[in-house]
């Protein structure tokens, strides 16, 4: 999805979800790089990276026990429609076979997404592509609420939401849920994340 | 240039079109011209199926070939149409005896100076997407190897065309996916804005959004986009 509206859609495990959410909160990580460049991005060993590409993402990622990360953009022609990211507990490159398989999987997933959407009405996102748990909807609803609370545009509101999540060490989805449930308002204080 | 060099260059050019910016007319024109240079043919024409399923003339190496291809299309008769319909090569080495098979095409072809024809299907597996047609001013067969060569070039062209179509379709679908996603995001954001402004829950906010869209005969997405952009005031929507 476009950089403006991108975000995690589905994860194979809790940890993968945490790592995806982390990158979404930080706006930094292998996912973002793969999406931006349209090229696969990999770091076989986050603990000994030759070049420190993700200074904010790396420490918390390592804290989850992740050592290697490999991101494959989902391509439709030259357009990028998402990213498939693989996380591993050990350091080390993907074998040629693993890399080739990953490219095939990315291709299959991309085609599947396009086909799924093509069966839906033009303006309506296909049911299957709306992520489980409605997290994404709540994040955007919360952005709308924060936009009114802070009198800013929704893009800025989302940035403030993500910043609050990072500052309080909480997943974006949890912060969004609190805002939608009116347990939290970002309009009441702007220095730290206290409930209104 | 030696035949082998021209042949190699032709294949490279056809294969290049698979990866570079793809101009389909350019590629088919090259294909038609090269066929006449590499194979013992005097003229060549290429027909391709359009999205509506109708054959269209895409390239011809001479004006006569062009007119003859158009003639086949207009009269719905001829070796080229048969090659496309059957997916098999249609060859007639002596058009003087083809009068029964193609009563309208034959005199026209002979008039144009052609005495034999090789019509080769443009195909990839089960898809037949057109035909490559070689015309000769002499009767008689051309070497089998030449026919295989022409078919090979036609096959490479078919791959390039189908690949290009697949890529275009993917990109169109990607655009549709993006649009659907943007629509959903805008709607959720607008709900949040409305809910906060009017202190209602999300369901009520959504109800009001839809009511506004309905009453003003507008699409929900369009209304949501305007709310998010600030060009439609929240107070106007909740009224």
């Amino acid at each position: 999805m476009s950089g403006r509206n991108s975000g995690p859609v589905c994860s194979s495990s809790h940890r993968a979800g945490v790592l995806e959410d982390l990158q979404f909160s930080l706006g930094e990580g292998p996912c973002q790089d793969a999406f931006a460049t349209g090229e696969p991005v990999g770091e076989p060993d986050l603990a000994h990276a030759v070049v420190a590409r993700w200074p904010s993402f790396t420490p918390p990622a390592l804290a989850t026990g992740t050592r290697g990360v490999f991101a494959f953009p989902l391509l439709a022609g030259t357009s990028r429609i998402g990213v498939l990211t693989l996380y591993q507990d050990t350091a080390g490159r993907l074998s040629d076979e693993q890399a080739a398989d990953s490219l095939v999987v990315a291709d299959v997933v991309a085609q599947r997404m396009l086909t799924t959407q093509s069966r839906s009405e033009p303006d309506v996102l296909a049911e299957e592509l709306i992520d489980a748990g409605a997290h994404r909807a709540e994040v955007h609803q919360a952005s709308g609420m924060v936009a009114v609370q802070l009198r800013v545009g929704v893009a800025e509101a989302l940035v403030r939401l993500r910043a609050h999540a990072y500052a309080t060490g909480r997943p974006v989805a949890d912060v969004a849920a609190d805002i939608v449930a009116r347990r939290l308002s970002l309009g009441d204080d702007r220095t730290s994340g206290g409930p209104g | 240039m030696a035949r082998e060099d021209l042949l190699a260059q032709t294949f490279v050019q056809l294969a290049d079109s698979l990866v570079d910016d793809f101009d389909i007319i350019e590629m088919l024109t090259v294909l038609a011209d090269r066929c006449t240079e590499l194979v013992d043919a005097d003229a060549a024409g290429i027909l391709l199926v359009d999205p509506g399923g109708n054959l269209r003339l895409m390239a011809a190496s001479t004006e006569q070939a062009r007119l003859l291809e158009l003639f086949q299309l207009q009269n719905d008769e001829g070796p080229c149409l048969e090659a496309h319909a059957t997916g098999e090569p249609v060859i007639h080495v002596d058009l003087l005896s083809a009068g029964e098979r193609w009563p309208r095409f034959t005199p026209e072809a002979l008039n144009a100076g052609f005495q034999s024809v090789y019509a080769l299907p443009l195909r990839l597996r089960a898809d037949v997407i057109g035909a490559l047609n070689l015309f000769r001013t002499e009767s008689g067969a051309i070497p089998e190897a030449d026919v295989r060569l022409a078919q090979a070039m036609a096959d490479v062209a078919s791959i390039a065309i189908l690949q290009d179509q697949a890529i275009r379709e993917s990109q169109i679908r990607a655009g549709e996916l993006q649009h659907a996603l943007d629509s959903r995001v805008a709607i959720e954001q607008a709900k949040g804005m409305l809910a906060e402004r009017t202190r209602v829950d999300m369901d009520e906010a959504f109800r009001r959004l839809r009511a506004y869209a309905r009453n003003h005969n507008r699409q929900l997405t369009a209304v949501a986009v305007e709310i998010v952009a600030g060009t439609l005031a929240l107070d106007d929507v909740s009224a």
Side-chain angles (χ1 to χ4, degrees):
Chain A
M1 321 300 176
S2 90
R4 200 175 63 246
N5 289 328
S6 65
V9 175
C10 71
S11 313
S12 59
S13 68
H14 176 72
R15 193 214 301 184
V18 166
L19 289 163
E20 297 282 308
D21 198 84
L22 182 62
Q23 292 177 76
F24 181 59
S25 296
L26 295 172
E28 169 192 296
C31 230
Q32 272 83 344
D33 288 2
F35 190 89
T37 63
E39 301 278 343
V41 169
E43 180 49 69
D45 190 355
L46 286 169
H48 300 100
V50 174
V51 178
R53 282 180 279 188
W54 313 299
S56 300
F57 167 77
T58 301
L62 283 168
T64 67
T66 304
R67 289 290 291 274
V69 58
F70 306 93
F72 296 88
L74 306 179
L75 302 173
T78 52
S79 307
R80 275 88 81 180
I81 60 175
V83 181
L84 168 71
T85 314
L86 310 175
Y87 303 99
Q88 64 181 33
D89 286 350
T90 54
R93 310 189 158 284
L94 291 181
S95 68
D96 285 349
E97 202 182 312
Q98 286 172 321
D101 284 350
S102 302
L103 288 170
V104 169
V105 170
D107 202 41
V108 168
V109 170
Q111 288 307 314
R112 197 60 196 276
M113 283 171 65
L114 294 177
T115 307
T116 300
Q117 180 56 37
S118 73
R119 292 201 209 106
S120 175
E121 300 160 47
D123 259 13
V124 178
L125 191 62
E127 269 306 306
E128 301 92 316
L129 297 178
I130 301 170
D131 71 311
H135 284 177
R136 196 58 37 225
E138 266 192 333
V139 170
H140 295 302
Q141 288 164 8
S143 299
M145 294 174 72
V146 169
V148 171
Q149 288 165 8
L150 299 180
R151 290 176 170 51
V152 297
V154 291
E156 160 114 20
L158 180 58
V159 168
R160 302 279 265 259
L161 203 164
R162 286 155 74 166
H164 182 94
Y166 183 62
T168 54
R170 304 177 64 210
V172 170
D174 288 2
V175 173
D178 281 353
I179 291 175
V180 169
R182 300 186 198 277
R183 290 187 290 267
L184 171 65
S185 167
L186 296 195
D188 293 344
D189 70 65
R190 302 174 195 205
T191 52
S192 63
Chain B
M1 184 188 294
R3 188 173 189 259
E4 288 75 18
D5 293 337
L6 184 57
L7 182 57
Q9 192 187 82
T10 301
F11 273 107
V12 166
Q13 242 175 310
L14 291 176
D16 265 355
S17 62
L18 284 168
V19 290
D20 287 347
D21 278 339
F22 188 63
D23 181 340
I24 199 169
I25 305 285
E26 164 80 20
M27 187 199 72
L28 294 175
T29 306
V30 165
L31 180 59
D33 285 343
R34 289 300 159 79
C35 278
T36 61
E37 291 168 59
L38 288 162
V39 165
D40 189 13
D42 299 294
I46 302 181
L47 306 175
L48 217 58
V49 177
D50 71 15
N54 303 307
L55 278 173
R56 293 215 181 285
L57 175 63
M58 299 298 284
S61 65
T62 67
E63 181 63 11
Q64 281 167 325
R66 193 180 76 82
L67 292 171
L68 201 51
E69 296 283 39
L70 287 173
F71 185 85
Q72 290 183 70
L73 290 175
Q74 282 152 4
N75 290 275
D76 204 22
E77 177 201 288
C80 316
L81 305 194
E82 269 186 43
H84 165 256
T86 62
E88 296 293 332
V90 172
I91 298 167
H92 211 293
V93 299
D94 187 357
L95 285 174
L96 284 171
S97 64
E100 267 192 56
R101 191 170 181 184
W102 303 304
R104 280 173 289 190
F105 166 77
T106 305
E108 197 71 20
L110 291 169
N111 246 344
F114 298 122
Q115 302 225 14
S116 58
V117 59
Y118 287 75
L120 305 174
L122 285 169
R123 65 185 176 202
L124 182 64
R125 291 188 279 271
D127 290 318
V128 185
I129 59 174
L132 161 68
N133 313 298
L134 308 175
F135 303 102
R136 303 177 66 240
T137 55
E138 286 178 21
S139 61
I142 59 177
E144 182 63 31
D146 281 8
V147 181
R148 282 199 300 272
L149 177 60
Q151 183 69 66
M153 290 196 289
D155 289 346
V156 171
S158 300
I159 294 173
I161 293 164
L162 288 167
Q163 176 80 343
D164 179 63
Q165 283 175 0
I167 289 173
R168 278 176 205 279
E169 195 177 318
S170 266
Q171 284 182 303
I172 289 170
R173 287 185 171 185
E176 288 168 354
L177 177 58
Q178 186 62 61
H179 182 72
L181 179 65
D182 291 346
S183 294
R184 181 142 206 280
V185 168
I187 290 170
E188 299 301 334
Q189 288 171 338
K191 276 160 71 174
M193 290 174 73
L194 200 52
E196 178 67 7
R197 173 57 150 234
T198 57
R199 308 304 289 178
V200 300
D201 66 20
M202 289 300 160
D203 284 342
E204 176 62 19
F206 192 37
R207 203 195 58 74
R208 294 188 186 187
L209 257 180
R210 285 161 65 201
Y212 181 89
R214 213 167 37 238
N215 295 339
H216 292 77
N217 206 21
R218 303 192 61 197
Q219 278 195 335
L220 186 54
T221 299
V223 171
V225 166
E226 280 185 20
I227 288 173
V228 168
T231 53
L232 175 56
L234 287 167
D235 294 335
D236 289 348
V237 176
S238 19

